[in-house]
Structure formats: C-alpha cells, structure tokens
Amino acid sequence: NPYPGTDEPACISGAASNWAHCVFPRASGLPEDPLAAAITRGTVAGVTMVDLTGLLCPPGPSTCPALLGDTLLYKDISHLTNTAVVRLTPALEADLVRQHVIAARS
C-alpha cells in the first residue's frame, strides 16, 4: 500500500477543518517496488499480485489522500486501518476472482 510517511490520524485530528492538508505526494508515497515489478513481469513463479493502489492513491493527481470518502485509511505512518481494509475487501475479492485465484461467491 502507499506509504504516507507521516502520522495520518494525527494530521486528520489537527486539520479537522481542512483534511486536504493531510494528503501526501504520490511520488514519495509509491516508491519503486522491485518485487512487485518482478511479479507483474511474471518472473516470480506461482505468485499473483493484487494491486489496489489505484483505490488508495488514484492515478492522475500528484497526491494521495488520507481518507477514502469519510474513511480514515491509515492508522499510523504506513498501516491501513481495519475499516479501510473492510471497505476495500469487495475490490480485493473482485480482483482475486478476475485472476482466478478464488471462485466467485454465489
């Protein structure tokens, strides 16, 4: 997941009137990941990658949000909150079904 590098909950609580102050630069929040690149190239056998980066840090803007709608994404400088993970579960499940990693629910 993206790496804000700052205490996002502290930022949100200190910027209650303007949460836009808590965005972080996309460039530093999404550093190069050699393992992810190798998996994407197909050079790591038996490994499937699920990439939800587009939901956590949408392409286009040069910044990544600390919130998804009204959901706080990070519980510290890098870890997702449980609420964020639950909110992202349908997207994760859909990607796993698309990649034939799991069967679709009936």
Side-chain angles (χ1 to χ4, degrees):
N1 56 283
Y3 179 77
T6 58
D7 187 340
E8 291 298 303
C11 182
I12 293 294
S13 68
S17 63
N18 189 356
W19 292 336
H21 290 290
C22 301
V23 301
F24 55 95
R26 184 177 174 80
S28 63
L30 296 172
E32 292 295 320
D33 183 342
L35 179 57
I39 293 167
T40 300
R41 286 192 308 273
T43 58
V44 181
V47 177
T48 301
M49 187 166 104
V50 176
D51 187 0
L52 301 178
T53 303
L55 296 173
L56 295 167
C57 196
S62 61
T63 58
C64 300
L67 301 164
L68 182 60
D70 59 356
T71 301
L72 179 65
L73 293 175
Y74 302 94
K75 65 180 180 180
D76 56 22
I77 65 170
S78 67
H79 298 94
L80 294 172
T81 64
N82 185 59
T83 304
V85 171
V86 168
R87 184 163 180 192
L88 294 169
T89 297
L92 172 63
E93 185 175 326
D95 201 25
L96 291 171
V97 167
R98 183 186 58 75
Q99 294 187 52
H100 306 288
V101 175
I102 63 172
R105 292 184 193 194
S106 299

